[in-house]
Amino acid sequence: MSLFQRLFGTKKPARAVETVVAEPLPLAEDLVEEGATPETAIAVASIAAEYQWVKANCPGFRPAGQSLVQDGGKAYDRLTLRHADGRERKVYFDISSFFGR
């Protein structure tokens, strides 16, 4: 008796195994980080919500700057975040729901 048979037995499965076809994974260059551009900006309802998002989604990063960006008639906050190891990340937040109101 083979090792395979000892581990899994010699009986044939009672039903056929279904074939699963998975969707192909996106290529690395097609992946865009959430908030990395105005097009992928994170919609928020307040400035406080921006900082809550950063705390929850960017562990180890701290705000190092904030600027207002106008693009395509919409207003965005761009936060520059810095990690203790020197990495830097910019995150765009869509603030058009409350900016200027």
Side-chain angles (χ1 to χ4, degrees):
M1 179 179 281
S2 72
L3 177 60
F4 181 86
Q5 290 172 330
R6 281 186 278 166
L7 292 173
F8 299 104
T10 58
K11 294 184 182 178
K12 299 210 184 239
R15 58 189 166 133
V17 177
E18 295 179 29
T19 303
V20 177
V21 178
E23 292 293 321
L25 294 173
L27 299 174
E29 58 268 15
D30 294 335
L31 297 175
V32 177
E33 213 171 324
E34 185 179 23
T37 66
E39 292 79 19
T40 62
I42 296 119
V44 292
S46 68
I47 301 296
E50 294 178 14
Y51 290 94
Q52 290 170 347
W53 187 93
V54 167
K55 185 176 180 181
N57 294 282
C58 303
F61 283 87
R62 299 183 58 86
Q66 181 176 6
S67 58
L68 176 65
V69 176
Q70 300 277 345
D71 187 0
K74 291 180 87 173
Y76 301 93
D77 254 351
R78 181 178 61 207
L79 292 187
T80 301
L81 308 174
R82 193 164 295 125
H83 196 275
D85 65 9
R87 287 180 290 154
E88 197 170 275
R89 178 179 176 193
K90 294 188 186 320
V91 181
Y92 288 83
F93 292 93
D94 181 349
I95 60 170
S96 57
S97 68
F98 65 90
F99 179 74
R101 298 194 173 149

